[in-house]
Amino acid sequence: MLNEFKDFAMRGNVLDMAVGVIIGAAFGKIVSSLVDNILMPLIGTVTGGIDFSKLAVTVGDANIGYGLFIQNIIDFIIVAFCIFLLIKGINSFKKKEEEEAPAAAPEPSTEEKLLTEIRDLLKNK
């Protein structure tokens, strides 16, 4: 069982996925910091000094912090847009590689091969 787990964990796809998750988590922290410390204060200044992190509504005993929800939506939009740009760039790079690679000539049919042989025989006579 231990060997099977080792084989599974050492497959290329699993390692690539692990690296992607780690980089994604670090990127998420960077985007959260950008939103919390740069964008939201600027948006707050433009909207008249509103501090979105403190926007909340109290309903009975519950305190609903919709300002933090707005910040998380902005986080998500930025991360989703960056992932979109990354995938779009990768896809355009793959398309360029596919276009640059010459297409292999299709294999001639048996009739074409036979006609080519006949032509060559007639040429040689």
Side-chain angles (χ1 to χ4, degrees):
M1 185 175 207
L2 187 58
N3 286 333
E4 287 180 41
F5 178 73
K6 180 181 172 187
D7 291 340
F8 171 76
M10 292 302 159
R11 266 192 213 148
N13 293 342
V14 174
L15 292 175
D16 292 343
M17 186 178 68
V19 169
V21 167
I22 292 168
I23 291 174
F27 181 70
K29 288 181 182 180
I30 291 170
V31 170
S32 293
S33 177
L34 171 74
V35 170
D36 294 343
N37 301 318
I38 297 173
L39 293 180
M40 294 312 288
L42 290 174
I43 292 172
T45 302
V46 170
T47 58
I50 298 173
D51 183 7
F52 280 85
S53 65
K54 294 182 182 174
L55 291 178
V57 172
T58 303
V59 178
D61 292 337
N63 189 19
I64 302 170
Y66 67 91
L68 291 174
F69 180 70
I70 292 171
Q71 284 184 333
N72 288 331
I73 290 173
I74 293 173
D75 277 351
F76 172 78
I77 290 170
I78 291 172
V79 170
F81 183 70
C82 290
I83 291 172
F84 167 75
L85 291 177
L86 178 69
I87 291 173
K88 186 174 180 174
I90 290 171
N91 287 340
S92 67
F93 182 70
K94 284 183 181 179
K95 282 183 182 178
K96 285 181 184 177
E97 284 182 350
E98 289 174 1
E99 290 173 359
E100 290 175 1
E107 184 69 26
S109 67
T110 54
E111 287 180 359
E112 290 175 335
K113 289 179 184 178
L114 183 60
L115 289 172
T116 304
E117 288 178 20
I118 292 171
R119 181 199 64 201
D120 293 341
L121 287 172
L122 290 173
K123 255 188 204 179
N124 292 334
K125 285 189 178 186

